[in-house]
């Protein structure tokens, strides 16, 4: 098997290992009650080292696709298999349900607490509205893009839908900064930031195949890193829960955002598989 075809598998495997380390870090690396980080936590040290290795390794590995700069979207992402279309529909549905649930929770919670109480609830409410609306629109994007991929051609209207997931990831990044920017405990949210940043650039790279000169190496790198960090974040909390929980708890909003992270990363992983196979054939 061509070595470059192994990139998606390597990204997913690294993400699973990262999830285990993140789960152990959340379970053992913070004090009960105060949530203060415990210095010298071994899983955290290993996770940081793994993240550096994955980022550098994927950057070097993806450079093998640099000569194929300018290849078309259709030649890179065309896929007529029923399994992929089903996966795109399922991941899209997960995004849509999470977005609808987020809007419902936001509106009902705001009504109960009063949006205008000292202006605080309103300020918290405003940036979340586009986040959940974009999550719902991302559902449409996944399904429309998969339909175009199955046909082997994409029109101007279909190209527009490829932009939407990038804006969803960008708003999630904004929300992460808003919620955690004042926190001194960077380790609690740094991996979530890295995941959101990588997702922004990965979806930007997909749209770049249609709106500018395509850069397959950039897509492969950002998608692989996005899969790694998303698996690490989402899987880490799952591993932590299986171990008995953590002093750091997720609220309803964060859980719904993690559902979106999981759906987006699985969708990206599938397209990473499609792209690497197609580019290797080229």
């Amino acid at each position: 098997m061509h070595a470059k075809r192994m990139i998606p598998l390597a990204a997913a495997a690294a993400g699973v290992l990262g999830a285990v380390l993140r789960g152990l870090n959340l379970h053992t690396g913070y004090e009960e009650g105060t949530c203060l980080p415990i210095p010298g936590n071994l899983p955290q040290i290993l996770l940081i080292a793994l993240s550096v290795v994955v980022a550098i390794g994927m950057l070097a590995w993806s450079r093998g696709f640099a000569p194929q700069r300018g290849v078309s979207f259709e030649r890179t992402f065309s896929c007529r298999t029923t399994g992929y279309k089903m996966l795109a529909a399922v991941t899209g549905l997960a995004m849509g349900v999470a977005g609808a649930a987020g809007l419902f929770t936001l509106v009902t919670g705001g009504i109960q607490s009063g949006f205008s109480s000292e202006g605080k609830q309103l300020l918290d409410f405003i940036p979340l509205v586009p986040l959940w609306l974009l999550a719902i629109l991302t559902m449409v994007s996944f399904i429309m893009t998969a339909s175009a991929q199955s046909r082997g051609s994409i029109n101007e209207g279909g190209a527009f839908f490829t932009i939407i997931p990038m804006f969803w990831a960008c708003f999630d990044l904004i929300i992460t900064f808003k919620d955690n920017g004042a926190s001194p405990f960077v380790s609690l949210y740094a991996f979530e930031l890295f995941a959101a940043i990588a997702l922004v650039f990965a979806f930007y790279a997909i749209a770049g195949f249609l709106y500018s000169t395509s850069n397959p190496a950039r897509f492969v790198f950002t998608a692989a890193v996005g899969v790694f960090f998303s698996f690490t974040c989402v899987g880490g909390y799952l591993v932590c829960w299986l171990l008995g929980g953590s002093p750091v708890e997720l609220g309803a909003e964060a859980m719904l955002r993690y559902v979106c992270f999981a759906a987006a990363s699985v969708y990206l992983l599938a397209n990473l598989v499609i792209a690497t196979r197609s580019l290797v054939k080229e």
Side-chain angles (χ1 to χ4, degrees):
M1 181 180 292
H2 201 291
K4 287 185 286 190
R5 287 189 178 186
M6 297 297 292
I7 291 177
L9 179 61
V16 172
L17 178 56
V20 173
L21 293 174
R22 180 60 171 164
L24 289 171
N25 171 232
L26 290 171
H27 186 62
T28 64
Y30 297 90
E31 295 180 0
E32 191 74 33
T34 63
C35 293
L36 291 171
I38 299 174
N41 182 254
L42 181 59
Q44 184 182 69
I45 295 172
L46 293 175
L47 179 56
I48 293 172
L50 175 64
S51 301
V52 172
V53 169
V54 169
I56 294 175
M58 289 301 174
L59 179 61
W61 209 347
S62 65
R63 294 306 299 166
F65 295 109
Q68 290 164 285
R69 182 182 177 88
V71 66
S72 69
F73 176 90
E74 290 83 358
R75 291 172 67 181
T76 305
F77 293 105
S78 289
C79 182
R80 292 178 170 84
T81 63
T82 303
Y84 169 66
K85 288 188 286 186
M86 290 180 61
L87 184 142
V90 170
T91 54
L93 183 61
M95 293 286 299
V97 170
L103 280 177
F104 177 78
T105 303
L106 190 63
V107 172
T108 54
I111 291 174
Q112 291 176 0
S113 60
F115 292 124
S116 60
S117 176
E118 300 179 359
K120 184 177 180 181
Q121 283 77 16
L122 183 60
L123 292 175
D124 291 338
F125 176 86
I126 291 174
L128 287 170
V129 173
L131 174 70
W132 298 129
L133 288 175
L134 284 166
I136 295 172
L137 290 174
T138 298
M139 171 186 66
V140 180
S141 170
F142 285 3
I143 295 172
M144 293 290 290
T145 303
S147 178
Q149 289 172 260
S150 68
R151 294 193 307 269
S153 64
I154 187 167
N155 55 27
E156 184 177 349
F160 167 78
F161 282 102
T162 63
I163 304 174
I164 296 172
M166 177 185 70
F167 286 106
W168 159 76
C170 187
F171 264 91
D172 193 277
L173 180 61
I174 292 170
I175 296 300
T176 301
F177 269 119
K178 181 183 75 69
D179 291 346
N180 300 285
S183 172
F185 310 134
V186 179
S187 62
L188 282 175
Y189 63 92
F191 293 99
E192 188 175 331
L193 282 178
F194 290 140
I197 291 170
L199 291 175
V200 170
F201 280 103
F203 286 117
Y204 169 79
I206 292 177
F209 277 79
L210 297 163
Y211 286 95
S212 65
T213 302
S214 66
N215 191 332
R218 178 172 58 194
F219 167 72
V220 171
F221 168 64
T222 54
V225 173
V227 167
F228 166 71
F229 280 115
S230 296
F231 278 26
T232 296
C233 289
V234 179
Y237 272 94
L238 178 60
V239 170
C240 181
W241 176 76
L242 292 173
L243 291 173
S246 163
V248 184
E249 296 184 0
L250 286 180
E253 173 196 315
M255 290 180 67
L256 291 172
R257 288 170 56 208
Y258 270 36
V259 170
C260 293
F261 265 43
S265 61
V266 171
Y267 174 83
L268 269 182
L269 180 59
N271 278 279
L272 185 59
V273 171
I274 295 168
T276 50
R277 288 182 177 179
S278 299
L279 293 169
V280 165
K281 289 179 181 178
E282 292 288 334

